[in-house]
Amino acid sequence: MNNLIKDIDIISAEEAQACDYKTTVDEVTGKTKKLYIESYGCAMNFSDSEIVASIMKENGFDTTSDFEQADVIFLNTCSIREKAEQTVRKRLTVFNKAKKKKPEMTIGVLGCMAERLKEKLLEEEKVVDIVVGPDAYRDLPNLINIAEDGQKAVNTFLSREETYADIAPVRLNSNGVSAFISIMRGCDNMCSFCVVPFTRGRERSRDPHSIVAEAQDLFDKGYKEVTLLGQNVDSYKWSAEENNKARLNKKEEEISEVVTFAHLLEMVAKVNPMLRVRFSTSHPKDITDDVLYTIKAYDNICNYIHLPVQSGNSRILEMMNRTYDREWYLERVAKIREILGEECGISSDMITGFCSETEEEHQDTLSLMDLVKYDFSYMFYYSERPGTLAAKKFEDDIPLEIKKRRLAEVITKQSELSHKRNKLDIGKEQVILLEGTSKKSQDELKGRNSANKVVIVPNGDYQKGDYLKVRITDCTTATLFGEVLEINPASL
Ligand code: SAH
Ligand code: SF4
Ligand code: F3S
């Protein structure tokens, strides 16, 4: 088993996607220059690349899918685990070759790795011309001008206010059906293993009207699903008073004084009953019953919660500074089941081999998984990140082999649970949103049910963006199969 996972940092069906990167598509609107962006990491980073593309478009750049044709190459990077940074460094050697052929090319490192390493990145990676942190994207045109004059440029200023609320993202690699909307930035939690508070800065919430307007605009353009993004969406909080009275207009007076995440969900759900609403990530310490009741009240808010537990053991959770324990987490899950029922999808993130974790404590993670019966999980072994609380306070003392063996056990457990949960869906009627053709065959179409599971149906007279009522007929660990009962049912 160890051999099987020897070089794999993180494994799950979803992980194959998470390891992947996204690039830009060819967009020709007659601009004079070409931009290529490669994005790594989480959905927030992918969403940021869409803001970057928008800023660059305003400044004369169309996007290209061919980096050798580009005038500017951006790598939007992730620092969450060591492996994520290694991948970026490997890509820089490839771009180094491209730059040798075309020396006037500008190469920029954006995102979390830029923020973490700052000027050091210029010293370590000579090919890099500009280094730009996640809050400094408005400065990109200026930084590119500096680079074009032959100098190196860095801006890693972290802001307390920046939310890019007024920037209409250019939708990159979109299937035209689902889109991300960032509702907040940064993170004020200090999970001891995590680099995000250092790379993304303080938490700040975006004006809810700009969020609703973006959702409305997407719906008007034919999108059927939005995912509201934040590192901890449950701590979303916006008040007109706190967030600059000068910008008040009539509409803003109509909303309650403080907009919580439950309010925001409701506001977005009301954009249109045929617009599906998803959100990620929920934090076990902050998810409120109000949020659960709001999900229940609106058919178009998906019955699915990503609620990362990280560990099933209370001592480890305390060391991780997650600020909840096993009992608290299980109580939140019981509440989800009570309000939203057994069919509500629940997924998680798990870290194995955190500092000092014993075999018994690892068993607690496995037993918690059995109790919650997750639909799927993103699973990782602990990777120490420089500068984090854990790196300062605790010894990274679990040997890699043990971390990987525990990870393999967690993955095996999750596969069993996913299969069991999927089997429960057989015979049920569900509404899916069609996303396109299945990867495996042109004769099959792929959609997603409310609980975020992929459902494959035979090809027919329908298109992506259609809602289909289906009956689930079969399943594997990762996928459900269905037969179509009705096209575009009246309600979701
Ligand atoms: N804000 C989200 C998580 C964002 S990072 C939350 O609080 O749940 C995504 C996942 O990466 C985390 O949930 C965690 O499981 C994993 N992760 C973060 N830092 C890690 C590290 N140092 N080593 C291994 N996995 C890590
Ligand atoms: Fe990292 Fe914790 Fe913030 Fe998630 S909540 S981004 S794990 S510090
Ligand atoms: Fe990675 Fe930064 Fe996201 S570290 S996971 S890209 S917030």
Side-chain angles (χ1 to χ4, degrees):
M1 197 178 245
N2 266 347
N3 274 347
L4 205 73
I5 56 164
K6 209 166 147 216
D7 293 319
I8 307 178
D9 187 24
I10 22 183
I11 321 163
S12 72
E14 292 72 32
E15 193 51 33
Q17 281 179 316
C19 274
D20 235 3
Y21 57 83
K22 295 196 176 177
T23 66
T24 33
V25 288
D26 292 299
E27 195 197 33
V28 184
T29 63
K31 309 275 188 215
T32 50
K33 294 182 187 171
K34 294 226 171 295
L35 163 72
Y36 172 87
I37 314 182
E38 214 166 86
S39 317
Y40 293 82
C42 62
M44 300 218 63
N45 235 26
F46 297 146
S47 169
D48 278 5
S49 289
E50 302 189 326
I51 288 169
V52 168
S54 174
I55 292 169
M56 295 294 283
K57 195 174 180 175
E58 285 289 302
N59 286 276
F61 286 83
D62 274 337
T63 53
T64 173
S65 60
D66 178 3
F67 68 80
E68 291 186 335
Q69 300 295 317
D71 300 287
V72 171
I73 294 181
F74 283 157
L75 264 170
N76 193 1
T77 60
C78 173
S79 285
I80 202 84
R81 287 166 289 275
E82 198 183 345
K83 199 131 190 182
E85 294 198 351
Q86 283 166 359
T87 310
V88 166
R89 291 188 194 272
K90 272 193 214 138
R91 285 306 279 168
L92 284 171
T93 60
V94 174
F95 296 148
N96 200 0
K97 282 187 200 135
K99 191 166 167 145
K100 284 209 171 108
K101 282 193 217 151
K102 195 175 169 185
E104 68 279 14
M105 190 182 253
T106 300
I107 296 185
V109 174
L110 277 53
C112 292
M113 200 174 159
E115 190 62 50
R116 194 177 83 74
L117 294 166
K118 304 188 171 65
E119 288 82 4
K120 258 196 274 172
L121 206 50
L122 293 178
E123 290 156 29
E124 290 170 16
E125 303 287 344
K126 297 282 181 255
V127 66
V128 176
D129 301 301
I130 65 176
V131 175
V132 195
D135 286 346
Y137 296 147
R138 287 182 203 266
D139 197 25
L140 278 169
N142 167 44
L143 298 170
I144 286 172
N145 283 341
I146 297 175
E148 280 172 355
D149 286 344
Q151 295 168 53
K152 304 268 175 181
V154 179
N155 187 343
T156 52
F157 173 74
L158 281 177
S159 158
R160 277 176 175 260
E161 287 96 32
E162 181 63 272
T163 60
Y164 300 111
D166 56 317
I167 295 181
V170 170
R171 302 290 164 188
L172 302 169
N173 314 97
S174 167
N175 59 6
V177 176
S178 323
F180 293 129
I181 303 182
S182 282
I183 63 163
M184 55 210 292
R185 299 182 71 80
C187 183
D188 278 355
N189 294 317
M190 273 287 173
C191 302
S192 63
F193 52 79
C194 185
V195 79
V196 172
F198 304 97
T199 62
R200 293 261 161 183
R202 297 304 298 270
E203 182 184 285
R204 67 221 95 122
S205 297
R206 174 178 166 190
D207 182 334
H209 297 103
S210 73
I211 297 169
V212 170
E214 192 172 330
Q216 181 70 60
D217 180 56
L218 285 162
F219 188 75
D220 294 344
K221 289 182 172 139
Y223 285 81
K224 294 291 176 58
E225 182 177 88
V226 293
T227 303
L228 309 180
L229 294 178
Q231 292 298 352
N232 175 2
V233 290
D234 300 295
S235 65
Y236 177 90
K237 194 171 160 219
W238 191 91
S239 79
E241 201 142 13
E242 269 177 48
N243 294 268
N244 190 356
K245 274 184 186 160
R247 283 181 301 161
L248 272 181
N249 60 33
K250 275 204 180 100
K251 250 189 168 175
E252 277 167 330
E253 284 161 12
E254 287 162 19
I255 56 168
S256 57
E257 268 186 5
V258 175
V259 180
T260 63
F261 182 59
H263 294 139
L264 179 72
L265 257 186
E266 182 161 36
M267 288 165 76
V268 178
K270 281 181 172 165
V271 164
N272 194 292
M274 298 314 273
L275 179 71
R276 264 189 176 178
V277 185
R278 297 190 183 278
F279 54 89
S280 187
T281 299
S282 301
H283 197 297
K285 86 172 152 62
D286 293 320
I287 188 167
T288 61
D289 293 356
D290 273 356
V291 166
L292 303 180
Y293 285 117
T294 308
I295 299 172
K296 189 180 165 73
Y298 290 87
D299 286 343
N300 58 329
I301 304 180
C302 288
N303 217 10
Y304 164 65
I305 300 172
H306 182 54
L307 195 68
V309 69
Q310 314 297 357
S311 164
N313 176 270
S314 295
R315 187 186 75 91
I316 294 293
L317 286 170
E318 197 179 343
M319 283 176 70
M320 287 177 163
N321 201 22
R322 288 290 287 183
T323 67
Y324 55 84
D325 60 12
R326 179 183 172 99
E327 285 62 42
W328 172 279
Y329 186 91
L330 289 172
E331 186 280 328
R332 289 288 78 201
V333 170
K335 205 70 185 176
I336 293 171
R337 294 281 174 237
E338 180 193 317
I339 297 172
L340 296 169
E342 279 304 316
E343 58 280 9
C344 179
I346 305 181
S347 60
S348 188
D349 295 347
M350 254 83 69
I351 299 177
T352 65
F354 186 66
C355 314
S356 80
E357 183 190 64
T358 65
E359 281 304 323
E360 293 70 42
E361 289 165 339
H362 162 62
Q363 289 297 326
D364 285 344
T365 299
L366 295 170
S367 74
L368 180 128
M369 291 172 76
D370 271 330
L371 290 171
V372 180
K373 301 182 189 73
Y374 292 113
D375 292 273
F376 60 91
S377 294
Y378 299 89
M379 298 158 280
F380 316 95
Y381 66 75
Y382 175 57
S383 162
E384 186 179 80
R385 307 310 292 130
T388 55
L389 291 181
K392 286 183 192 151
K393 274 170 53 184
F394 310 124
E395 194 188 339
D396 180 14
D397 56 355
I398 307 298
L400 188 58
E401 254 180 45
I402 295 182
K403 286 180 180 174
K404 286 186 174 179
R405 195 253 304 145
R406 289 180 189 168
L407 175 61
E409 287 171 10
V410 166
I411 290 165
T412 304
K413 169 70 70 193
Q414 185 55 57
S415 299
E416 289 163 15
L417 292 172
S418 296
H419 207 185
K420 270 191 203 157
R421 286 283 295 171
N422 284 353
K423 278 189 200 155
L424 292 177
D425 282 343
I426 294 176
K428 289 203 177 132
E429 289 183 11
Q430 300 180 341
V431 175
I432 66 166
L433 172 61
L434 271 190
E435 292 174 4
T437 45
S438 138
K439 270 188 215 151
K440 288 197 182 129
S441 155
Q442 290 290 317
D443 297 334
E444 291 177 329
L445 299 175
K446 182 187 124 175
R448 227 170 259 272
N449 69 11
S450 178
N452 206 28
K453 292 184 190 171
V454 171
V455 182
I456 303 291
V457 293
N459 206 341
D461 197 10
Y462 4 88
Q463 306 163 2
K464 68 177 184 178
D466 281 343
Y467 287 105
L468 301 178
K469 187 184 260 186
V470 302
R471 181 179 292 112
I472 304 301
T473 52
D474 202 359
C475 73
T476 63
T477 305
T479 315
L480 299 173
F481 298 89
E483 58 184 6
V484 179
L485 304 175
E486 193 185 341
I487 306 172
N488 290 323
S491 95
L492 305 184

